[in-house]
Amino acid sequence: MYWLIEDLEQLKTFYNSGYKKAYIEIISNNDQIHPAINDLCAVYIRPLEASKGFMLCTSHSEAINVEKDWVYKILQKFDVLYCKNKKQLLHYFILQNLEDILLPPSNIDLPNIPTYDIMYRKYHKLDNVNTLVPLVKHYEWCESVYNVVKPLIHQEKTPYYEFYNTKTSVVFNAIERNGIGINPELFSEHFYPTKADTVHTQFNLNTTTTRPSNKFKGVNYAALNKKNGERRCFIPKNDEFIELDVVAYHPSIAASLIDYTFPTADIHTHFSEMYEVDRSKAKELTFKQLYGGIFKEYKDLPFFRDLQTFMDKLWYQFQNEGYIECPISQYRFYRDKLENMNSNKLFNYLLQCVETSQNTLVTWDIFRILTQYESKLIHYTYDSVLLDFDSSEESELLPLIKDVFSSHKLNISEVRGKNYGDIK
């Protein structure tokens, strides 16, 4: 069978081929458009048992295009579909048989074809630029990518592999999919011109500590300015925003790692009593020590004494066993893959990894609840989630969401507002 599948008979033949496992690659209409609102150009499927890949087009100018429903039926037929970006691919096809083999953080070099550079320089403003790229070039690129990532298909299915594929990729895709409501005029003033009433964030999970960044089209959604008014352009599609912030998140994570129990929910007040300073100064001192090293005058306080012991053991394991492991996701930081490390830096890497893993579990539990409601989880930063809330659901829903944080032993504060800039 030829590599391009176009007519119904070819589709039926491929559907009944008996292939069980394959690699899949998505060709969108324009790589610069967010996948949540993008259209599909073509799908490349490379059965592991076959000697070549096959291309099914849905909107390419050089092919007889097939219905997306047919493509979906074919993809569902496989036992496993391997891919290199499950979070992105889920925007096009919601499939339970997807497995991401390019686990972040990864520094693998993927091939590039000059044709793409040429076409995007000339036609980047076209929503369907990829439909103008010669189909054979798309196929050439997909075959090249497959040859690079093929060895990863046979990698060990570690606990982190399972955690990333079953939780992380799904959660962050769901947040991106929901989008955030905007006032188009205000948004255009602060960021870029748009007439849309929704924007979509895009998480980059390929970071050294696994803590995601969140930028798209020049907007850093993880660090929106609190002073210049840009946050006011983000508005709820329901009735109001409710932001739930985890109080003293990193001290809480550190306490869980060393099995330390704070005598009060107000952790910073507890520290202020230990330091014998006011609460604001105590907060400053705590974070300086978590990120920069424990001060001599506080090294004998039970929390910091136990924390220093933990950090010493962590560093010893890193040096002698060659890695340390996140207790939640079981992601491993390997000594031979990291440069210029020291005990404090290693501990901070672990803090960020535990934070991300913990947030993944929290948001997973919240999404499971929200399937029955109109309210949506639309934004995530490192210590908070933002809900676009339907006020009629508050008495029933909000306690359920707060119980999720309690079940993970996290204390939260709550702020509200009619836009993201005015929440208080």
Side-chain angles (χ1 to χ4, degrees):
M1 186 162 52
Y2 189 57
W3 60 265
L4 179 60
I5 298 175
E6 298 181 282
D7 60 40
L8 184 59
E9 288 304 313
Q10 291 174 327
L11 284 169
K12 288 181 178 178
T13 299
F14 190 62
Y15 181 83
N16 295 315
S17 62
Y19 293 128
K20 298 297 183 182
K21 297 180 179 182
Y23 174 79
I24 178 176
E25 193 68 56
I26 293 293
I27 305 295
S28 70
N29 274 358
N30 186 321
D31 297 340
Q32 297 175 357
I33 296 176
H34 195 287
I37 55 173
N38 209 345
D39 289 323
L40 183 68
C41 174
V43 177
Y44 168 86
I45 306 172
R46 175 65 184 258
L48 302 193
E49 304 96 325
S51 59
K52 64 177 181 292
F54 300 90
M55 190 78 81
L56 289 79
C57 298
T58 59
S59 63
H60 199 279
S61 58
E62 295 179 352
I64 299 174
N65 295 302
V66 301
E67 295 292 331
K68 187 176 177 180
D69 287 346
W70 253 106
V71 179
Y72 190 62
K73 288 178 182 179
I74 289 174
L75 296 179
Q76 288 179 307
K77 185 83 170 179
F78 288 89
D79 291 342
V80 183
L81 287 171
Y82 300 104
C83 64
K84 64 172 175 55
N85 191 337
K86 180 176 178 177
K87 176 178 71 69
Q88 178 174 306
L89 206 153
L90 284 170
H91 285 296
Y92 298 97
F93 296 101
I94 299 177
L95 295 162
Q96 294 185 346
N97 56 354
L98 284 176
E99 288 190 17
D100 200 324
I101 55 175
L102 193 57
L103 303 182
S106 171
N107 58 0
I108 192 169
D109 291 325
L110 294 175
N112 183 46
I113 292 179
T115 304
Y116 287 136
D117 297 331
I118 296 170
M119 296 298 285
Y120 272 86
R121 278 198 301 270
K122 289 184 177 181
Y123 307 114
H124 65 278
K125 292 183 178 180
L126 291 179
D127 290 347
N128 63 342
V129 58
N130 279 341
T131 67
L132 305 180
V133 175
L135 191 54
V136 68
K137 289 298 179 180
H138 286 312
Y139 183 75
E140 177 186 336
W141 180 77
C142 290
E143 288 275 280
S144 299
V145 170
Y146 174 73
N147 289 328
V148 171
V149 302
K150 181 180 178 180
L152 299 175
I153 292 173
H154 307 291
Q155 67 185 295
E156 179 186 359
K157 304 300 187 289
T158 63
Y160 174 64
Y161 182 99
E162 297 299 326
F163 186 88
Y164 181 82
N165 271 288
T166 60
K167 295 289 192 300
T168 308
S169 57
V170 177
V171 159
F172 286 104
N173 169 269
I175 299 174
E176 291 181 3
R177 182 184 296 273
N178 282 338
I180 308 177
I182 60 168
N183 177 315
E185 292 184 8
L186 287 178
F187 187 90
S188 298
E189 288 178 15
H190 289 284
F191 300 110
Y192 56 83
T194 183
K195 294 181 180 179
D197 63 357
T198 304
V199 292
H200 295 269
T201 63
Q202 188 169 63
F203 293 95
N204 172 25
L205 306 178
N206 196 37
T207 63
T208 303
T209 66
T210 74
R211 189 191 214 194
S213 58
N214 188 1
K215 296 180 180 180
F216 189 70
K217 293 186 73 172
V219 183
N220 186 352
Y221 291 99
L224 293 168
N225 194 306
K226 295 182 179 180
K227 298 180 180 180
N228 69 355
E230 68 184 32
R231 289 185 171 221
R232 300 188 73 250
C233 70
F234 299 99
I235 57 176
K237 292 189 171 182
N238 289 308
D239 298 306
E240 66 177 338
F241 283 151
I242 298 180
E243 186 174 64
L244 301 176
D245 294 83
V246 179
V247 178
Y249 203 174
H250 280 189
S252 298
I253 293 173
S256 70
L257 292 172
I258 63 176
D259 199 24
Y260 181 90
T261 302
F262 290 105
T264 176
D266 190 347
I267 294 173
H268 291 304
T269 295
H270 174 61
F271 276 119
S272 73
E273 293 171 355
M274 289 196 297
Y275 301 142
E276 297 181 349
V277 298
D278 62 50
R279 190 177 186 278
S280 177
K281 182 64 175 178
K283 187 175 180 179
E284 176 188 339
L285 287 171
T286 299
F287 286 121
K288 281 184 176 180
Q289 293 179 89
L290 281 179
Y291 306 142
I294 298 168
F295 299 163
K296 290 181 179 179
E297 58 265 41
Y298 302 124
K299 66 181 179 63
D300 293 325
L301 294 175
F303 175 83
F304 289 112
R305 181 192 63 219
D306 294 349
L307 182 60
Q308 186 62 62
T309 300
F310 175 82
M311 291 171 64
D312 291 342
K313 289 181 178 179
L314 198 70
W315 184 245
Y316 179 85
Q317 179 184 343
F318 186 70
Q319 292 292 334
N320 290 275
E321 297 182 28
Y323 70 91
I324 61 166
E325 185 174 274
C326 172
I328 299 176
S329 67
Q330 293 179 269
Y331 173 75
R332 290 183 174 183
F333 291 100
Y334 286 98
R335 186 188 62 205
D336 59 2
K337 294 183 180 180
L338 298 170
E339 297 180 354
N340 303 318
M341 296 300 292
N342 57 52
S343 178
N344 287 330
K345 188 175 181 180
L346 181 65
F347 176 67
N348 277 274
Y349 276 26
L350 182 63
L351 272 182
Q352 292 187 30
C353 188
V354 174
E355 170 204 277
T356 304
S357 305
Q358 184 75 73
N359 289 338
T360 298
L361 296 181
V362 168
T363 49
W364 173 270
D365 290 344
I366 293 175
F367 273 118
R368 292 183 67 183
I369 295 170
L370 290 176
T371 56
Q372 307 298 319
Y373 297 89
E374 292 299 318
S375 299
K376 296 183 182 296
L377 195 167
I378 59 168
H379 191 37
Y380 151 96
T381 52
Y382 309 123
D383 60 357
S384 68
V385 295
L386 184 66
L387 304 167
D388 189 330
F389 220 83
D390 183 329
S391 59
S392 67
E393 299 173 341
E394 179 169 345
S395 61
E396 179 180 342
L397 176 57
L398 197 55
L400 295 176
I401 293 176
K402 289 182 176 180
D403 284 345
V404 169
F405 288 94
S406 296
S407 69
H408 290 276
K409 299 180 180 179
L410 298 172
N411 299 313
I412 58 173
S413 62
E414 172 190 333
V415 289
R416 299 167 177 250
K418 293 298 184 179
N419 64 68
Y420 196 34
D422 292 342
I423 55 176
K424 57 183 178 180

